[in-house]
Amino acid sequence: MSPEVYRLVAIDLPAMLGGLMAAVTCALLGNFLVLRRQALMGDAISHSVLPGLVVAFLVAQTREPLVMLLGAAGSGMIAVLLIEMVRRVGRVDPGASMGVVFSVLFALGVLLLEKAAVRHVDLDADCVLYGQPEYMTWLPPAQWDAFFSASTLRLVPRQLWILAGALVLCSGFVVLLFKELRIASFDPQLATAQGISARLMHYLLMVVVALATVAAFEAVGSILVIAMMIGPAVSARLLTDRLVSQVLVSVLLAGVGAIGGYWLAALGPQVLGFSHSVSSAGMIAVVCTLMVGVLVLLAPRHGVLSHRLRQRRLARRVLVEDLLTTLLRAQQAGDAQVAPDRLASVLGGARRSERAIELAMRDGLVQQDTTGVRLTERGEEVASRVLETHRALQRYLVEEVGVRESHAHETAERLEHVVDEDVLRRSGGE
Amino acid sequence: MHAPPSLARTVDEIPTWQEVVETLLLRGGYNTTWVMIGTTLLGIAAGIIGVFALLRKRALVADALSHATLPGIALAFIVGTMLGVQSKSLPVLLLGAALSGVLGVVAIQALHRHPRVREDSAIAIVLSGFFGAGIVLLSVVQSMRSGSQGGLARFIYGQTAAMRHEDAIVMSVIAGLALVASLGLLKEFALVAFNEGFARVTGWPVTLIDIVMMGLIVLGVVAGLQAVGLILVVAMLIIPAASARFWTDRLRLLVLISAVIGGLCGYAGSATSALLPRKPAGSVIVLCGGALFFLSMLVAPRRGVLASIMRRIALRFRIARDHLLEQLHDLEQRDGRGTVIACRALADAMRERGWMGLQTRVFLGLLRLRGLIERRNGGVGLSERGRAIGARVARNHALWERYLIEYADIAPSHVDWTVDRVEHVLRDDVVRELERAIARTEAAR
Amino acid sequence: MSDVRGASLLSAHPEHSAESPLSIHAMTVAYRRRPVLWDVDYDAPAGALVAIVGPNGAGKSTLIKACLGLVAMASGRVAFWGRPLREVRGRIGYVPQRESVDWEFPVSALDVVCMGRYRKIGWFRPVSRAHKEVARACLARVGMEEYASRQISQLSGGQQQRVFLARALAQEADLYFMDEPFAGVDAATERAIIEVLRELRSAGRTVICVHHDLATAREYFDHVMLLNMRVVAAGPVEEVLTAENLRKTYGGRLTLLSEVSEAVARGEGG
């Protein structure tokens, strides 16, 4: 095994694997937090685990991960219950009640940490806050023949096992209770009426979120856990319309975020010529966040850009069709050609009419010469179809909807561009 | 990465009484005095701004904002070092913090505009994403050769013990600025927070007022960064205001109480930190606030938990009293005025209403203590006052029942006939109409 | 004292102009891509009480909000006395839906009414005694003077509605928009609102109300606009509330239709 490969296996592989498992675990749960508008509950929980960690540590005097996990999950649950209590009993705004509870618990944690420091025991606050996946190292034998043995597995860092456990637990939770989670998130009252207590589902989800947060904090730290929960889930929501595909896509994106983030942090700086790598946990969070930003702009159906494009395309179509029908009406009145300035007055300005003519000519719908604009054969065909739609709509509006005759024309003119054939047939076109 | 702030300090010695008194009276030395004044002022300003942050439901936006200051601090440090400016200069770092905090808020607004990104998701994403960027930059700072990382970690946890008086003066100035501005705009903030639509219609520039409010929140956060740290600074905004809300329904009083609570927490936190330099001031401030909050929630006279429990018990009692008296009244109607009703018969009648035997006995005793029921031979009977109440309850009940039948289509759904008196809710002519209807039914019988 | 002041609020007639206080032209409003209002044209008569009536989801509130610039129009134009909104804001009063605010907000009834004076008070300055007196007089006009210092969450639904009405009165406007002022109020409030509406009318003000109840629309209002995504009919009550118009407005909704025909029958019988 060459030194480079060994480095990869011993340092990069476990860290990357840890980040990946943490991200997938979190993203699975994040979907439901996002749908239930409880994204900030994840935030509150992740801040609140600190005192539980420290207390568990002070009581048990060990960094045994299971003990820490228990303590942290405990204080996470206390936070959830306290938030609920302050909100209900104290009638405090939900945001504020989260803010009060998690900051008080976090403050308690910091104060307790100081107590732990007095006893000269080593508990690193920074590690809790922003995690160090780089510390998860695996030191297997450097020879390939010794590599494949049971003892090698035993050297796998314990955090990885815990993350794997969390991943199994969360996937099991989501897969087994998918139906229940979906209905409780969509319509809690219906769920309760059908015997799926929405409140029970809420607390179950919160317990699992607390566990996932704690399992993941060694990899990415408690604050960055939020990025992994919310980032991939929101991104997936921008890409899909169904919950199942949303969950799957979010898992995929979480993987991309974790591996991409790690790679950027570990290797990116070297590409730029720096010798030091930067914090990979931070970078994973950044990637998960940027993902959302990029998709808000560029998502194929729900992105800002595609929305703009669709609007522009529709506006263009409306413009061209208006030009065509104007020309057709003129033709039926005996003018085969219409002068550009007359078109300008009908279409609302010379610039609009020029643009319309340009677009229609590109599609071979009109011809222009020195005297004016005329329809081509194809243009005539399109124009008469549009006009037919218009008449059918007008009839529908007057007879069925009860629109005043004088108004129906204007309204039909707007509808004709967007109505499809199917609707037209049903609206009494024949 | 960094050692936690606490490890760097020396072991505390318990301060003498004299030290305690001197510190509390602001005679604990030049630096300490300034830090205490600054922190108290910060508490007051944050308390006032917090009221509006809370009423405008911006509490967690403020949280995201404070987390989003980290990359700005780190970047300001890096740029400052590269340019050779005194990189520990506080104003430079705080300027960076403010800029990236504002950028974070803008990012939240931009994400939130998309219909598929809810506000809570936007806040969570920005909070952790910016914080992540900050940590990446901190790791860059650490790898830079020139100088130490400049104690940037103090901005995460906050540290008053290491503050110099210049730092405290910067903090005081920012806090004072925010204080004056927020007091001047009390009326405008209240209007926008209460009824945005109305404010718009009457021609107030709602967006501008919102931006100013956000600006003040930024000032509050930035001022609090080095004393309380960016994770906990939001607590200085939220906790005093949320605690004060339990005590009053008046805006001016709310602002005042919130300011007092904020100031107290700031004072207590910095004093503790001056006396026990190992205790992180930020945490002490927040825990003081937390204690006041939960105390307020428990004992506040009207909105407090205890008060509301008392009210609920009183209501339960009144409803039970009404039911029992109504039952007695019914029995009297049947058997003639002044009849003696056997306790057992009454308990049986009440059982039909879902009461347990013991319950009936307990309430009978309570009502007798109040003089609504008299003990008679072999049972109980209504006193004059009890009869009056029973008759009123029975009439009210009958009228409501009639109303719900006659006007089923338009009956208001929020009426609780056990509490609302018919006359208070319905028009007089409707009540008379109902009375006539009941009389007709009874005549027909 | 306060009564005199209250009366003086109404004594000055709004400046007369040939233009309608509210004219809407070709207003279209869409949420996302679904139109809520389509091509609405309307001219409100001056000095009248106008009801906007229509089924749920007909866009009644949206119409008001679009007029006031609270909702963006996809197309169309709104003019007040022939001028754009920003020139005449001071002459327009607004009573939003009661659900639109947080009634736990820490203000008293009087504070809320004072908000109607904020525009006249201006930036930075606190509310002066004179403005408070005006606000108190407005509260008295809706029969709420005893509740001036009550926190708003301690008021009943009807009382809250009257506070909103008083706030609109404090604006001393010439044109009022009210969004469902009669929704879920008690008898006393209904009477108080009617009283105020009639006072406003006799002082030459125009009031435009979103109203959900056909039966009382006939009784309380002079003009009616029947709205269902577009104006089905508008004009004096007797002309507009015909069975035919109502059928068009309410379409095939059977339950509503029976209610409507009943209302019409009651109205024509009496």
Side-chain angles (χ1 to χ4, degrees):
Chain A
M1 203 182 281
S2 65
E4 288 82 40
V5 173
Y6 188 76
R7 203 190 114 82
L8 196 73
V9 169
I11 295 174
D12 291 331
L13 186 70
M16 226 184 251
L17 207 61
L20 181 67
M21 287 195 289
V24 170
T25 308
C26 292
L28 274 174
L29 302 173
N31 281 294
F32 298 98
L33 290 180
V34 167
L35 282 180
R36 301 163 65 96
R37 306 186 185 191
Q38 283 172 334
L40 290 164
M41 210 60 177
D43 178 34
I45 290 178
S46 68
H47 278 85
S48 310
V49 296
L50 187 60
L53 279 176
V54 185
V55 167
F57 179 69
L58 287 175
V59 171
Q61 293 290 329
T62 157
R63 286 194 64 165
E64 186 67 34
L66 269 180
V67 175
M68 309 277 279
L69 206 67
L70 223 62
S75 71
M77 275 330 284
I78 289 175
V80 171
L81 291 173
L82 267 180
I83 289 170
E84 194 78 357
M85 188 190 88
V86 168
R87 192 176 63 81
R88 272 172 198 267
V89 183
R91 288 184 300 164
V92 177
D93 162 69
S97 60
M98 279 185 216
V100 170
V101 170
F102 86 67
S103 52
V104 167
L105 283 175
F106 189 84
L108 195 67
V110 173
L111 213 62
L112 285 171
L113 254 183
E114 190 261 349
K115 207 170 176 73
V118 172
R119 294 196 194 164
H120 299 288
V121 280
D122 169 39
L123 187 71
D124 193 347
D126 292 331
C127 184
V128 176
L129 268 187
Y130 29 84
Q132 277 144 11
E134 294 89 346
Y135 285 7
M136 291 193 278
T137 49
W138 185 31
L139 302 171
Q143 278 74 43
W144 283 115
D145 44 349
F147 188 82
F148 296 101
S149 66
S151 59
T152 316
L153 265 187
R154 224 178 296 137
L155 290 172
V156 170
R158 194 178 278 156
Q159 293 98 318
L160 280 188
W161 290 120
I162 289 177
L163 276 170
L167 178 59
V168 170
L169 181 83
C170 291
S171 343
F173 174 73
V174 170
V175 169
L176 292 178
L177 291 176
F178 186 78
K179 169 172 101 291
E180 285 79 7
L181 279 170
R182 174 160 61 186
I183 189 172
S185 308
F186 174 65
D187 187 346
Q189 291 188 351
L190 178 71
T192 309
Q194 294 194 346
I196 302 163
S197 162
R199 185 178 280 204
L200 179 70
M201 291 310 293
H202 169 73
Y203 285 123
L204 266 182
L205 181 64
M206 288 302 141
V207 172
V208 181
V209 166
L211 283 174
T213 308
V214 183
F217 85 76
E218 290 225 39
V220 291
S222 64
I223 293 178
L224 305 182
V225 163
I226 319 299
M228 299 202 303
M229 282 194 181
I230 309 304
V234 173
S235 306
R237 225 173 112 61
L238 292 166
L239 289 173
T240 64
D241 289 328
R242 298 272 311 276
L243 186 54
V244 180
S245 44
Q246 181 190 319
V247 171
L248 294 177
V249 170
S250 74
V251 166
L252 202 72
L253 288 175
V256 171
I259 294 184
Y262 185 84
W263 188 85
L264 271 181
L267 307 173
Q270 289 168 23
V271 174
L272 288 176
F274 296 106
S275 55
H276 292 270
S277 59
V278 297
S279 157
S280 64
M283 197 53 98
I284 292 174
V286 172
V287 171
C288 286
T289 304
L290 285 182
M291 204 180 324
V292 176
V294 170
L295 285 176
V296 160
L297 288 177
L298 301 178
R301 267 167 44 79
H302 300 293
V304 173
L305 199 69
S306 79
H307 186 69
R308 289 266 161 83
L309 276 180
R310 260 201 314 272
Q311 271 183 329
R312 233 180 94 190
R313 218 174 300 137
L314 182 69
R316 269 194 210 167
R317 213 179 108 198
V318 169
L319 193 61
V320 170
E321 288 180 354
D322 280 349
L323 170 73
L324 296 182
T325 49
T326 311
L327 287 174
L328 187 65
R329 286 209 183 89
Q331 196 180 42
Q332 284 161 352
D335 294 333
Q337 275 196 349
V338 181
D341 52 335
R342 239 187 84 201
L343 282 176
S345 72
V346 176
L347 295 175
R351 265 184 53 196
R352 277 171 61 86
S353 74
E354 271 163 33
R355 178 105 180 99
I357 295 166
E358 185 192 319
L359 287 167
M361 271 172 56
R362 209 172 55 192
D363 292 348
L365 298 169
V366 298
Q367 286 173 334
Q368 185 176 25
D369 51 34
T370 43
T371 48
V373 186
R374 64 162 72 231
L375 286 166
T376 64
E377 209 163 294
R378 254 192 70 211
E380 212 176 307
E381 208 174 287
V382 174
S384 45
R385 203 171 58 229
V386 173
L387 217 55
E388 221 167 87
T389 314
H390 176 84
R391 293 217 181 92
L393 277 172
Q394 200 169 352
R395 200 158 56 233
Y396 170 74
L397 286 173
V398 172
E399 287 168 11
E400 303 288 322
V401 184
V403 173
R404 263 179 290 165
E405 187 88 51
S406 58
H407 261 98
H409 170 68
E410 225 175 286
T411 307
E413 201 146 70
R414 293 198 191 157
L415 283 171
E416 70 197 16
H417 306 289
V418 288
V419 168
D420 59 30
E421 309 262 313
D422 187 43
V423 174
L424 197 61
R425 228 173 295 125
R426 270 184 287 137
S427 79
E430 53 247 37
Chain B
M1 270 186 228
H2 334 288
S6 43
L7 286 182
R9 295 178 201 156
T10 51
V11 176
D12 284 335
E13 285 171 16
I14 295 171
T16 61
W17 278 110
Q18 197 190 352
E19 279 174 335
V20 173
V21 172
E22 290 207 333
T23 308
L24 290 180
L25 293 177
L26 298 178
R27 279 187 301 207
Y30 189 61
N31 245 9
T32 312
T33 303
W34 260 111
V35 169
M36 282 178 69
I37 290 175
T39 319
T40 309
L41 204 58
L42 168 73
I44 295 172
I48 294 174
I49 302 165
V51 168
F52 295 103
L54 202 68
L55 291 177
R56 193 86 175 107
K57 310 232 182 322
R58 292 277 155 79
L60 291 174
V61 177
D63 188 29
L65 190 159
S66 61
H67 281 76
T69 54
L70 186 59
I73 296 170
L75 207 60
F77 182 84
I78 294 172
V79 172
T81 312
M82 280 185 186
L83 294 179
V85 186
Q86 170 61 350
S87 55
K88 281 183 194 172
S89 147
L90 189 65
V92 174
L93 295 180
L94 291 188
L95 186 69
L99 287 180
S100 82
V102 169
L103 194 67
V105 174
V106 171
I108 291 175
Q109 300 291 346
L111 285 176
H112 181 35
R113 283 169 77 101
H114 193 288
R116 285 219 171 181
V117 184
R118 307 261 181 236
E119 190 180 22
D120 63 321
S121 300
I123 292 175
I125 290 168
V126 167
L127 183 149
S128 53
F130 272 67
F131 194 76
I135 288 169
V136 169
L137 289 171
L138 275 187
S139 66
V140 172
V141 168
Q142 203 169 27
S143 69
M144 293 195 333
R145 290 277 160 67
S146 50
S148 67
Q149 32 135 336
L152 290 187
R154 75 187 148 133
F155 289 108
I156 297 179
Y157 300 98
Q159 200 175 19
T160 48
M163 275 169 77
R164 294 160 306 162
H165 73 275
E166 299 99 293
D167 302 344
I169 290 172
V170 170
M171 180 166 85
S172 309
V173 169
I174 300 176
L177 214 70
L179 189 83
V180 172
S182 55
L183 285 179
L185 286 165
L186 209 64
K187 173 170 107 284
E188 287 76 9
F189 286 165
L191 177 67
V192 170
F194 175 59
N195 198 345
E196 189 188 330
F198 186 80
R200 261 186 220 287
V201 168
T202 41
W204 291 92
V206 172
T207 317
L208 179 68
I209 293 175
D210 260 342
I211 289 174
V212 172
M213 198 191 286
M214 213 61 226
L216 291 181
I217 294 178
V218 171
L219 282 186
V221 165
V222 165
L225 275 183
Q226 52 170 351
V228 200
L230 59 86
I231 296 176
L232 287 178
V233 72
V234 69
M236 292 204 73
L237 290 170
I238 301 176
I239 293 184
S243 317
R245 189 68 190 86
F246 287 114
W247 295 97
T248 178
D249 287 330
R250 289 292 138 93
L251 187 62
R252 283 166 184 284
L253 217 53
L254 181 63
V255 168
L256 187 71
I257 295 176
S258 179
V260 169
I261 292 179
L264 269 178
C265 294
Y267 175 76
S270 51
T272 313
S273 176
L275 292 167
L276 306 164
R278 288 189 55 100
K279 297 272 181 265
S283 298
V284 176
I285 292 175
V286 174
L287 287 176
C288 284
L292 283 176
F293 175 85
F294 283 105
L295 189 73
S296 307
M297 188 167 102
L298 215 60
V299 304
R302 233 176 41 71
R303 298 173 66 98
V305 173
L306 289 181
S308 105
I309 290 175
M310 295 297 283
R311 264 200 310 278
R312 204 171 312 160
I313 290 176
L315 181 69
R316 284 259 173 86
F317 177 79
R318 228 194 65 195
I319 290 174
R321 180 200 73 179
D322 285 357
H323 282 184
L324 200 59
L325 291 177
E326 188 186 6
Q327 186 66 51
L328 282 166
H329 181 261
D330 282 357
L331 292 172
E332 250 194 6
Q333 291 282 302
R334 198 185 60 194
D335 302 340
R337 199 184 157 109
T339 28
V340 178
I341 295 143
C343 289
R344 180 170 294 274
L346 184 65
D348 283 343
M350 291 311 287
R351 197 164 285 131
E352 305 224 326
R353 294 190 178 220
W355 283 42
M356 288 179 296
L358 184 65
Q359 200 179 358
T360 311
R361 270 170 210 287
V362 168
F363 274 100
L364 272 179
L366 284 172
L367 292 186
R368 213 174 63 225
L369 283 179
R370 295 227 176 161
L372 298 172
I373 285 176
E374 291 160 358
R375 183 193 280 277
R376 307 239 174 83
N377 257 350
V380 291
L382 283 169
S383 74
E384 221 28 74
R385 264 175 56 220
R387 186 172 298 119
I389 296 175
R392 202 193 67 217
V393 173
R395 172 174 173 273
N396 200 38
H397 186 172
L399 282 172
W400 271 127
E401 225 166 41
R402 195 75 211 170
Y403 176 73
L404 291 175
I405 295 167
E406 300 268 315
Y407 298 89
D409 46 346
I410 57 165
S413 53
H414 57 271
V415 167
D416 178 1
W417 63 265
T418 55
V419 182
D420 294 328
R421 299 268 293 275
V422 159
E423 297 85 346
H424 293 174
V425 181
L426 299 180
R427 278 201 305 240
D428 299 344
D429 51 331
V430 177
V431 174
R432 275 196 298 279
E433 177 62 37
L434 291 172
E435 276 170 346
R436 273 199 295 278
I438 292 174
R440 271 200 304 278
T441 326
E442 271 165 14
R445 221 180 256 161
Chain C
M1 165 69 189
S2 65
D3 276 344
V4 175
R5 196 182 285 274
S8 75
L9 291 183
L10 284 182
S11 60
H13 258 267
E15 61 181 273
H16 283 289
S17 83
E19 296 273 5
S20 155
L22 167 70
S23 50
I24 304 170
H25 180 69
M27 176 195 282
T28 297
V29 179
Y31 279 134
R32 309 274 171 88
R33 283 151 75 190
R34 210 176 40 206
V36 182
L37 290 171
W38 192 281
D39 223 7
V40 170
D41 279 314
Y42 183 66
D43 283 307
L49 303 181
V50 181
I52 303 177
V53 181
N56 285 334
K60 295 174 301 217
S61 293
T62 309
L63 180 71
I64 284 193
K65 286 184 183 151
C67 288
L68 293 171
L70 295 175
V71 169
M73 286 185 280
S75 67
R77 214 157 37 81
V78 177
F80 303 86
W81 300 281
R83 283 187 279 169
L85 178 62
R86 91 193 108 75
E87 288 177 20
V88 294
R89 277 195 191 279
R91 297 175 61 190
I92 295 174
Y94 177 43
V95 179
Q97 263 178 34
R98 214 169 62 223
E99 294 77 35
S100 64
V101 302
D102 170 16
W103 288 97
E104 289 285 323
F105 203 88
V107 282
S108 68
L110 188 67
D111 291 336
V112 173
V113 179
C114 284
M115 288 180 183
R117 309 291 298 172
Y118 280 11
R119 189 184 161 80
K120 294 191 169 62
I121 298 168
W123 287 90
F124 300 111
R125 264 177 288 166
V127 184
S128 69
R129 194 171 294 259
H131 285 294
K132 276 196 182 141
E133 279 310 314
V134 175
R136 215 176 278 279
C138 292
L139 267 180
R141 279 173 65 193
V142 297
M144 288 284 294
E145 66 271 50
E146 314 149 42
Y147 299 96
S149 56
R150 273 277 179 100
Q151 202 264 332
I152 51 176
S153 69
Q154 293 167 32
L155 301 173
S156 76
Q159 289 168 334
Q160 291 173 348
Q161 190 68 58
R162 279 191 265 171
V163 170
F164 262 11
L165 191 66
R167 181 176 70 175
L169 290 177
Q171 286 184 272
E172 297 180 334
D174 296 324
L175 170 63
Y176 286 94
F177 287 94
M178 304 190 182
D179 203 342
E180 299 260 19
F182 295 103
V185 300
D186 54 286
T189 300
E190 194 157 334
R191 273 197 304 269
I193 298 177
I194 293 299
E195 194 74 9
V196 168
L197 289 186
R198 293 193 174 140
E199 271 178 48
L200 287 172
R201 175 175 56 189
S202 52
R205 265 67 164 180
T206 308
V207 181
I208 296 175
C209 273
V210 169
H211 194 60
H212 63 291
D213 183 15
L214 271 169
T216 50
R218 187 175 285 277
E219 189 184 331
Y220 297 160
F221 294 94
D222 316 320
H223 276 247
V224 168
M225 174 208 282
L226 279 177
L227 189 77
N228 194 357
M229 234 174 87
R230 42 183 312 125
V231 180
V232 175
V237 178
E238 316 80 57
E239 288 171 26
V240 171
L241 288 183
T242 63
E244 174 59 16
N245 276 339
L246 292 174
R247 191 192 67 78
K248 282 182 187 163
T249 314
Y250 287 87
R253 298 166 208 234
L254 275 179
T255 47
L256 269 173
L257 198 64
S258 60
E259 183 190 311
V260 164
S261 47
E262 196 184 90
V264 171
R266 215 183 302 160
E268 281 165 359

